[in-house]
Amino acid sequence: TRKEVPTPDITHKQIDVALDLLAQSKLALQKMGEEFQVDLPAGTIIRQLPPAGTSVREGKVVRVWISQGKENIEVPDVSNLPLRSAEFALRQANLVIGTKETKSSLEIEKGNIISQEPQAGAIVVKGSTINLIVSSGVPSSASRIVPDFRHKKLVDVSNWASSRNVEVKVIEDPE
């Protein structure tokens, strides 16, 4: 004796809106599952059964699958790995390789990863781009290697620079 009503279209709608639409038609909602959806925000209905427009009796349960939004993942550490291994690890993690810049390094073997951006451990959206800096090996003899002068006295820096004919420019941080 229950009246037949058309199932409203609740796909791509937020749960609260879907519940209101179903209540107006005297229908119920049952969550069947959740899935990651890049193009739908969390809490949005992905699909429904029975489909929109299907004639059903009042009180019928409409089953829905709900979006969890974009899937976030942790960036793996690919530092000091050979480039091919790093690319494989990033692809396995559903990440995209972006720029590959080369820099010389005294510590990292030629062809291995010096650094990555975003850094290892960062939480990013699945499919994000990871940029890599790859070692080109030891710098050429024409290159000048500058020591790390952080937390050193200015006189030490000036002595090092004058002995190598290098200009020193001092910029003071007001803070």
Side-chain angles (χ1 to χ4, degrees):
T1 63
R2 289 183 283 172
K3 185 169 105 177
E4 289 218 2
V5 294
T7 307
D9 185 4
I10 56 173
T11 58
H12 300 145
K13 297 196 176 24
Q14 289 290 318
I15 287 263
D16 55 343
V17 173
L19 284 169
D20 288 343
L21 288 171
L22 291 174
Q24 291 170 12
S25 298
K26 297 183 180 168
L27 298 172
L29 180 139
Q30 179 182 13
K31 177 176 129 181
M32 298 303 293
E34 294 181 325
E35 299 172 11
F36 290 108
Q37 287 287 323
V38 174
D39 55 338
L40 292 176
T44 304
I45 302 211
I46 301 167
R47 62 184 177 278
Q48 70 181 69
L49 276 179
T54 304
S55 185
V56 296
R57 295 209 184 269
E58 289 179 341
K60 172 83 174 164
V61 173
V62 177
R63 297 183 308 265
V64 298
W65 287 261
I66 300 168
S67 171
Q68 290 180 302
K70 297 176 181 177
E71 183 175 1
N72 292 326
I73 54 176
E74 184 177 337
V75 176
D77 185 3
V78 296
S79 59
N80 210 12
L81 288 179
L83 177 59
R84 290 181 62 83
S85 298
E87 289 174 331
F88 181 75
L90 293 172
R91 282 192 201 104
Q92 286 293 103
N94 292 305
L95 296 167
V96 176
I97 290 89
T99 60
K100 291 181 247 179
E101 188 179 327
T102 58
K103 288 189 178 179
S104 56
S105 172
L106 292 172
E107 300 167 352
I108 306 296
E109 185 179 325
K110 182 178 182 177
N112 287 6
I113 305 302
I114 295 173
S115 65
Q116 64 191 69
E117 184 59 41
Q119 295 180 356
I123 303 299
V124 297
V125 173
K126 185 178 181 179
S128 292
T129 300
I130 308 298
N131 299 315
L132 302 172
I133 297 180
V134 184
S135 173
S136 59
V138 178
S140 69
S141 59
S143 298
R144 194 173 302 217
I145 299 172
V146 178
D148 183 0
F149 288 118
R150 290 178 290 186
H151 309 292
K152 302 289 184 201
K153 293 183 180 182
L154 183 56
V155 69
D156 295 335
V157 176
S158 297
N159 289 339
W160 179 89
S162 64
S163 70
R164 287 162 180 81
N165 217 13
V166 174
E167 180 185 342
V168 175
K169 183 177 181 182
V170 177
I171 300 172
E172 292 190 29
D173 183 354
E175 294 182 27

